[in-house]
């Protein structure tokens, strides 16, 4: 297991608002990795489901570890499975389920199923609103339709791994939603993201990994986990003119507020 030494913190300050701890890439190290993270500065992780099975797996991890919380949902990339959102609704009654996600639109992978994606996205938003849960939104190459749906339904939640423009970020913020920023901010080709990172108010910023993917520099391409977040926090701190510790503290506070965690 690779744990970057410079990311080990004395205090638990890290709240990763978006992970996929059930991913098969963690299978051989999961039982070692999760307790290690908790000893190295990670205070909380939201692990997100992508279909019915991975949502159940997220709940099982949340049951097993105090500092792990689950989001349940059907990801747009899984649209072809034809799964029923009502099954997601049933999973929401679990006491460690804190959100519906990840849900949204993906026109990079499944553009030919845009209509089905929109229907499933709306259906899951309606469930979230009924249950008063926040949503975790995936938007890849689908900015306009994502924004239109969010404007129409006005759910609470976060647009994770934000990849839109500053203008779009402002629209999302107007809706009272949060902006999630991850390791991409450390990449040299993160064109618009530094400008977005500058304008998000302190109380609307979330930090995340989307692990096992998107490890921050200088570890780009490596198997990522929540322990890498101090590198993302350092970059955000540089952009926003504060300390990395400030970024970790405010993003942890925001995650607890949005996901109603004590
Ligand atoms: Ni994700």
């Amino acid at each position: 297991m690779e744990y970057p030494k410079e990311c080990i913190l004395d205090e638990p300050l890290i709240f990763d608002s978006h992970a996929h701890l059930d991913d098969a890439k963690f299978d051989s190290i999961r039982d070692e990795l999760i307790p290690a993270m908790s000893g190295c500065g990670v205070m909380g992780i939201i692990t997100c489901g992508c279909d019915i099975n991975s949502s159940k797996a997220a709940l099982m991890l949340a049951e097993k570890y105090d500092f792990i919380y689950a989001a349940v949902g059907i990801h747009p990339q899984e649209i072809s499975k034809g799964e029923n959102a009502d099954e997601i609704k049933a999973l929401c009654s679990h006491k460690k389920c804190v959100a519906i996600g990840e849900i949204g639109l993906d026109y990079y992978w499944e553009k030919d199923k845009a209509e089905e994606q929109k229907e499933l996205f709306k259906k899951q938003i309606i469930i979230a609103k009924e249950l008063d849960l926040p949503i975790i939104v995936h938007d890849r190459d689908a900015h306009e339709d994502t924004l239109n749906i969010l404007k129409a339904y006005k759910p609470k939640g976060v647009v994770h791994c934000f990849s839109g423009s500053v203008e779009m970020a402002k629209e999302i913020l107007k809706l009272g939603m949060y902006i999630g920023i991850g390791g991409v901010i450390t990449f040299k080709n993160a064109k618009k993201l530094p400008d977005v990172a500058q304008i998000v108010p302190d109380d609307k910023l979330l930090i995340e990994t989307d692990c096992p993917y998107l490890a921050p520099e200088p570890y780009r391409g490596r198997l990522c986990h929540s322990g890498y977040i101090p590198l993302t926090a350092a970059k955000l701190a540089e952009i926003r003119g504060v300390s990395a510790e400030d970024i970790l503290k405010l993003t942890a506070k925001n995650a607890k507020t949005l996901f109603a965690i004590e």
Side-chain angles (χ1 to χ4, degrees), residues 199-221:
I199 62 122
V200 180
D202 278 353
D203 65 346
K204 290 291 181 244
L205 182 67
L206 292 184
I207 202 163
E208 61 169 74
T209 54
D210 206 13
C211 64
Y213 304 102
L214 301 173
E217 292 285 7
Y219 299 108
R220 189 171 179 179

Side-chain angles (χ1 to χ4, degrees), residues 18-20 48 50 75 102 138 160 208 210-211:
H18 193 110
H20 297 278
C48 303
C50 291
H75 192 292
E102 77 178 84
H138 170 100
H160 111 86
E208 61 169 74
D210 206 13
C211 64

Side-chain angles (χ1 to χ4, degrees), residues 16-225:
D16 183 356
S17 63
H18 193 110
H20 297 278
L21 295 176
D22 70 301
D23 194 285
K25 289 195 170 64
F26 289 123
D27 283 355
S28 63
I29 57 164
R30 189 179 296 107
D31 293 345
E32 186 191 355
L33 174 66
I34 294 176
M37 287 193 291
S38 137
C40 291
V42 179
M43 69 153 84
I45 303 174
I46 309 286
T47 190
C48 303
C50 291
D51 59 14
I52 304 294
N53 272 339
S54 77
S55 295
K56 286 180 181 167
L59 289 171
M60 280 170 66
L61 284 167
E63 255 174 40
K64 189 167 174 188
Y65 299 101
D66 274 358
F67 73 112
I68 295 179
Y69 302 85
V72 299
I74 305 168
H75 192 292
Q77 251 177 274
E78 307 298 336
I79 191 79
S80 299
K81 289 184 182 162
E83 290 183 332
N84 188 341
D86 289 333
E87 282 193 61
I88 290 297
K89 187 175 182 179
L91 298 177
C92 291
S93 60
H94 192 289
K95 66 178 188 316
K96 295 286 295 281
C97 173
V98 295
I100 293 193
E102 77 178 84
I103 61 175
L105 302 175
D106 192 317
Y107 294 172
Y108 181 83
W109 290 112
E110 297 285 349
K111 185 149 198 204
D112 57 324
K113 298 202 174 61
E115 287 312 311
E116 291 106 303
Q117 286 192 46
K118 282 191 252 181
E119 281 319 300
L120 181 63
F121 186 27
K122 290 177 194 169
K123 209 170 167 194
Q124 292 182 97
I125 293 176
I126 291 167
I127 294 169
K129 290 192 64 145
E130 255 178 62
L131 302 176
D132 195 28
L133 285 170
I135 61 168
I136 297 173
V137 180
H138 170 100
D139 157 28
R140 187 163 186 197
D141 294 353
H143 301 325
E144 196 182 338
D145 285 354
T146 300
L147 188 56
N148 285 338
I149 289 174
L150 295 176
K151 277 183 176 168
Y153 288 84
K154 298 188 176 57
K156 57 182 178 183
V158 54
V159 178
H160 111 86
C161 202
F162 189 82
S163 60
S165 62
V166 167
E167 292 68 34
M168 181 179 176
K170 286 180 178 165
E171 295 291 317
I172 296 294
L173 292 164
K174 259 192 236 166
L175 295 170
M177 294 184 77
Y178 292 67
I179 304 267
I181 294 182
V184 173
I185 191 80
T186 69
F187 299 172
K188 283 192 186 68
N189 56 352
K191 302 166 205 132
K192 301 166 282 185
L193 197 54
D195 296 332
V196 171
Q198 220 162 18
I199 62 122
V200 180
D202 278 353
D203 65 346
K204 290 291 181 244
L205 182 67
L206 292 184
I207 202 163
E208 61 169 74
T209 54
D210 206 13
C211 64
Y213 304 102
L214 301 173
E217 292 285 7
Y219 299 108
R220 189 171 179 179
R222 235 198 226 188
L223 178 75
C224 184
H225 58 70

